[in-house]
């Protein structure tokens, strides 16, 4: 075997004096330099006696099998190795090819050959890795691939599922244009090192700009949990389970308030409740303590007032920390439209409303009470739900057993066993006909947990999803069943029902402030209690709204 055919991963073919990735003469300015260095440090690759690595050189199928043996020595066998007619036991890569076959990476060709000296196309490298690593994709299709690649139609039919799986596994590396997959071009040595580095999840081995993925923001590297963004900042936690510290980062992932709190809540109206030791206080967006820690419970500010608990007493405070109420309440709700629903201690367990001076504005007489929305509040009286105005008078008499607050002029209510929508006079504008119904948002409302209607009651997005959520920032979070039969996949649709982000995430939330918290990676597994399985692992990141 000539030096030109020395396998990329078979380090034992070189003497200790041969070039290492730290001294290669031809990788210092190469885009894959970091991947090359990191794989060499792990003894997975080496170079040529001349002192170069030849990152733009091609790689054969046999050489790739040798790399896989080195990179994944503990891969579980899934079948008996194939006896390829063109790979005798004297072949230099026989052991590696047998292992790659046994572990599910390679299958060979229908005629029983392996073609060890055939150069490896980029798409084959992805197919081989995703099979061996058992990656999967919830809804593979050319249309989904078009979301990532300008040349998606060049992906062979047999590889569509594998390429989709590679995307979700964060494997696909495209240089210099991340939108160009070039599936049928031969893979280079540099490209293979980047691909293996991604498969091994080596941190910062590949520049994010070359990894095929949707546009998302990562929380600070040292974090293991992060909240939704609120007023441009997200709380994140570092440390261990027994020594957790919370700080805040902006939408670039930059830390703006160093981790120092035992709890960090979301910002609202310029302030965030944080915990130091056993007590909560409030900080501003610079991290300065504005209201000193003294509360057992501290909720977000709403209309300049926040609900807190001090010495086991419920109270409302303003932004100076001054208490606005002298009476004692319980089950307090946030202020909305000038009022807050509270349980009144001296009101026989009933609920009423206070104003911003802390005085009782609507006497306690309701079994339950919700915040005001669009001038009306949903309350329960004598076991049924109706709506009151700010004087406490019923505008819509209590006659429903289930109902939502008003949104965009309509409220979903249940009459009999079906939901419909009423206006603020109590008149049905959409007759009861749905088994479930949510509030309107951006002109549409989810119904029957699977589709959307407009304000005439017309179904404008067919009922084809397993679960749907209200629209936010032009997109709605939807869920489908994974084709494997275990678990769900989350994605986002526009108001025509078209996928803007194909279902691909094991967990996801609605958009807010231009981003949505999602989970990339991770896996679903069977569970004895939950029929659809349990989602485990994955990295939480923030997906940028593709419409913005």
């Amino acid at each position: 075997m000539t030096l030109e055919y020395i396998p990329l991963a078979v380090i034992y073919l070189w003497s200790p004096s041969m070039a290492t990735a730290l001294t290669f003469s031809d990788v210092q300015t190469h885009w894959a330099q970091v991947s090359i260095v990191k794989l060499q440090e792990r003894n997975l690759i080496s170079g040529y006696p001349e002192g170069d690595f030849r990152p733009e050189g091609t790689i054969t199928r046999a050489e790739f099998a040798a790399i896989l043996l080195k990179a994944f020595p503990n891969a579980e066998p899934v079948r008996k190795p194939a006896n390829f007619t063109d790979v005798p036991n004297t072949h230099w890569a026989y052991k590696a090819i047998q292992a790659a076959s046994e572990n599910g990476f390679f299958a060979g060709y229908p005629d029983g050959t392996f073609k060890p000296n055939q150069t490896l196309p980029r798409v084959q490298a992805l197919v081989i890795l995703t099979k061996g690593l058992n990656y999967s994709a919830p809804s593979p299709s050319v249309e989904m691939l078009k979301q990532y690649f300008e040349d998606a139609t060049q992906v062979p039919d047999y590889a569509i599922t594998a390429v989709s799986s590679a995307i979700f596994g964060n494997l696909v590396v495209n240089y210099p244009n991340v939108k160009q997959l070039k599936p049928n071009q031969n893979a280079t040595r540099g490209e293979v090192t980047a691909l293996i580095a991604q498969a091994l999840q080596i941190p910062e081995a590949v520049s994010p700009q070359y990894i095929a993925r949707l546009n998302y923001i990562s929380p600070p590297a040292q974090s293991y949990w992060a909240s939704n963004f609120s007023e441009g900042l997200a709380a994140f936690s570092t440390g261990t389970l027994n020594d957790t510290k919370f700080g805040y980062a902006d939408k670039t992932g930059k830390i703006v308030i160093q981790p120092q709190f035992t709890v960090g809540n979301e910002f609202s109206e310029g302030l965030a409740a944080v915990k130091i030791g056993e007590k909560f206080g409030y900080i501003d967006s610079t991290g300065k303590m504005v209201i000193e820690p003294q509360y057992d419970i501290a909720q977000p500010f709403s209309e300049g007032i926040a609900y807190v608990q001090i010495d086991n007493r419920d109270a409302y405070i303003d932004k100076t920390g001054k208490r606005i109420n002298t009476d004692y309440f319980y089950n307090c709700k946030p202020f909305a439209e000038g009022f807050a629903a509270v349980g009144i201690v001296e009101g026989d367990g009933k609920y009423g409303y206070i104003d911003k001076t802390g005085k009782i504005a609507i006497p306690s007489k309701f079994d339950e009470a919700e915040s005001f929305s669009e001038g009306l509040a949903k309350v329960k009286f004598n076991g049924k739900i109706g709506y009151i105005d700010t004087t406490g008078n019923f505008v819509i008499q209590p006659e429903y057993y289930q109902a939502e607050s008003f949104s965009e002029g309509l409220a979903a209510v249940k009459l009999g066993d079906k939901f419909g929508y009423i206006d603020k006079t109590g008149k049905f504008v959409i007759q009861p006909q749905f088994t479930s119904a949510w509030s309107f948002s951006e002109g549409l409302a989810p119904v029957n947990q699977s589709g959307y209607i407009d304000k005439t009651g017309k179904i404008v997005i067919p009922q084809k999803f397993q679960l749907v959520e209200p629209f936010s920032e032009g997109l709605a979070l939807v869920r489908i069943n994974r084709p494997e039969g275990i678990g769900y996949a989350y994605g986002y649709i526009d108001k025509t029902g078209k996928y803007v982000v194909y279902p691909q995430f094991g967990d996801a939330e609605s958009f807010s402030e231009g981003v949505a918290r999602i989970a990339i990676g991770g896996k679903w597994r069977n569970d004895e209690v939950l029929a659809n399985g349990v989602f485990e692992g994955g990295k939480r990141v923030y997906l940028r709204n593709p419409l913005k």
Side-chain angles (χ1 to χ4, degrees), residues 89-128:
N89 58 13
T90 56
H91 191 281
W92 69 266
Y94 175 78
K95 179 182 176 181
I97 292 170
Q98 286 281 289
S101 171
E102 183 179 41
N103 297 334
F105 288 101
F106 280 95
Y109 288 89
D111 62 1
T113 62
F114 182 80
K115 297 182 173 47
N117 296 324
Q118 180 177 284
T119 52
L120 185 75
R122 284 168 51 83
V123 71
Q124 277 194 24
L126 295 175
V127 170
I128 291 162

Side-chain angles (χ1 to χ4, degrees), residues 302-331:
S302 176
E303 299 189 357
I305 297 172
Y307 160 71
V308 297
Q309 190 177 91
I310 184 169
D311 297 330
N312 294 318
R313 298 283 191 177
D314 292 358
Y316 287 96
I317 59 170
D318 63 20
K319 289 187 177 180
T320 68
K322 179 182 177 182
R323 182 170 172 168
I324 70 164
N325 64 298
T326 55
D327 294 322
Y328 294 118
F329 308 123
Y330 63 93
N331 290 348

Side-chain angles (χ1 to χ4, degrees), residues 404-407 410-412 421 437-441 444-446 470:
E404 298 291 327
S405 294
F406 272 89
S407 176
L410 299 176
Y421 289 83
W438 290 24
S439 296
F440 273 90
S441 176
L444 300 177

Side-chain angles (χ1 to χ4, degrees), residues 435-438 445-452 461-471 476-482 487-493 499 503 506-510 524 532:
T435 56
S436 66
W438 290 24
V447 295
N448 297 340
Q449 295 187 332
S450 59
Y452 293 83
I461 299 177
Q463 301 172 35
K464 60 180 179 179
F465 308 104
Q466 197 275 335
L467 185 69
V468 293
E469 296 211 2
F471 274 86
L477 177 67
V478 297
R479 188 173 81 183
I480 64 172
N481 291 312
R482 290 174 61 90
Y488 307 109
Y490 292 85
Y492 297 88
I493 60 171
Y499 282 121
D507 194 12
E509 298 178 23
S510 295
W524 285 89
N532 287 297

